[in-house]
């Protein structure tokens, strides 16, 4: 396996957690989002979307973090990232997509760069944009997690699932942009429990070789 990574990418961060939990150590290539290396000719040939992560496994090239995580779960079934029952799977996917499809895309680096670049918005306005969408998403997610008997030590029961893999990077970024986490005690509790796991802690941005 070869994994194309960037230390501060939320999507790559998710996959690093998943790879660590599965005990997999792919060869890693770091693609700098800040310098625009992700738009280079060499990387565009690998991933025409010009996004990280990309995972190459044999002759297969996989993109999109949730697809990569589910692929890893299929080819390395233990520990499982999804519950066995259909309703449990649906709940884990819903939580994962709330983060990866509703919150994160609005706050991705290319969106923030567009706000301050082409649209001429200030850093303050950019930060307000970021916090607004995180707050909207976390408010709904906190209500869902707090009200459900299916929430345990982690997002779904007492086993780490894809939902938790998505949650950790989003909480990290929310804090990086000074989001007030006080209204989200369930999210904070789950994140603190996950931080105790070596596979999660070792995937943190600051621990990556390309961290600056």
């Amino acid at each position: 396996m070869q994994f194309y990574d960037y230390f501060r990418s939320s999507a790559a961060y998710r996959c690093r957690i998943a790879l660590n939990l599965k005990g997999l150590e792919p060869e890693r290539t770091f693609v700098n989002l800040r310098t625009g290396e992700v738009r280079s000719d060499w990387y565009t040939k690998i991933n025409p979307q010009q996004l990280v992560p990309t995972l190459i496994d044999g002759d297969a090239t996989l993109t999109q973090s949730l697809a990569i995580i589910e692929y890893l779960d299929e080819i390395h079934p233990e520990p499982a990232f999804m519950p066995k029952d259909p309703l449990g799977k649906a709940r884990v996917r819903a939580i994962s997509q709330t983060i990866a499809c509703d919150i994160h895309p609005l706050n991705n680096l290319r969106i923030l760069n567009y706000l301050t670049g082409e649209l001429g918005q200030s850093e303050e306005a950019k930060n307000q944009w970021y916090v607004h969408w995180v707050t909207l998403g976390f408010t709904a997610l906190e209500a869902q997690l707090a009200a459900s008997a299916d929430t345990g030590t982690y997002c779904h029961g007492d086993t780490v699932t894809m939902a938790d893999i998505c949650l950790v990077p989003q909480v990290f970024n929310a804090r990086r942009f000074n989001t007030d986490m006080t209204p989200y005690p369930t999210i904070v509790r789950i994140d603190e429990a996950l931080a105790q796991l070596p596979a999660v802690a070792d995937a943190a941005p600051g621990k990556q070789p390309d961290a600056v």
Side-chain angles (χ1 to χ4, degrees):
M1 285 185 177
Q2 188 166 6
F3 183 60
Y4 292 84
D5 193 2
Y6 177 66
F7 78 105
R8 201 176 274 164
S9 161
S10 293
Y13 190 174
R14 293 172 201 144
C15 290
R16 290 197 301 268
I17 295 171
L19 287 163
N20 288 350
L21 287 167
K22 296 292 188 183
L24 300 173
E25 297 182 3
E27 178 184 346
R28 295 170 69 187
T29 300
F30 302 102
V31 187
N32 195 316
L33 270 62
R34 285 289 181 185
T35 63
E37 188 177 15
V38 74
R39 296 186 295 277
S40 65
D41 289 343
W42 75 265
Y43 188 67
T44 300
K45 290 177 182 177
I46 294 168
N47 187 335
Q49 281 191 293
Q50 301 179 334
L51 298 171
V52 292
T54 301
L55 180 72
I56 296 178
D57 188 12
D59 295 331
T61 299
L62 295 95
T63 62
Q64 292 295 330
S65 61
L66 297 190
I68 291 171
I69 291 165
E70 292 214 44
Y71 170 76
L72 293 173
D73 203 34
E74 296 250 352
I75 63 170
H76 296 279
E78 297 297 332
F81 293 155
M82 300 294 289
K84 296 188 182 300
D85 62 295
L87 284 176
K89 287 179 182 177
R91 183 172 183 268
V92 166
R93 288 192 175 107
I95 295 169
S96 302
Q97 290 170 21
T98 294
I99 297 166
C101 302
D102 292 339
I103 301 174
H104 174 239
L106 288 163
N107 289 331
N108 204 359
L109 180 61
R110 61 180 180 171
I111 303 299
L112 300 181
N113 285 344
Y114 185 73
L115 287 171
T116 56
E118 285 86 339
L119 297 185
Q121 297 298 308
S122 66
E123 283 292 310
E124 181 182 2
K126 179 194 78 172
N127 292 341
Q128 288 176 347
W129 167 280
Y130 192 102
V131 172
H132 170 78
W133 294 112
V134 171
T135 299
L136 197 67
F138 272 7
T139 298
L141 183 58
E142 173 68 25
Q144 291 173 323
L145 291 171
S148 176
D150 290 322
T151 302
T153 304
Y154 307 119
C155 288
H156 190 81
D158 298 325
T159 301
V160 177
T161 66
M162 184 167 67
D164 303 295
I165 292 169
C166 291
L167 183 69
V168 170
Q170 191 60 65
V171 171
F172 172 86
N173 279 331
R175 288 182 170 136
R176 191 163 69 89
F177 279 83
N178 299 314
T179 305
D180 180 11
M181 297 298 292
T182 306
Y184 318 117
T186 311
I187 290 174
V188 170
R189 175 184 63 74
I190 293 169
D191 180 69
E192 289 175 349
L194 289 161
Q196 303 306 309
L197 303 176
V200 174
D202 290 346
K207 293 189 175 183
Q208 305 317 303
D210 62 325
V212 294

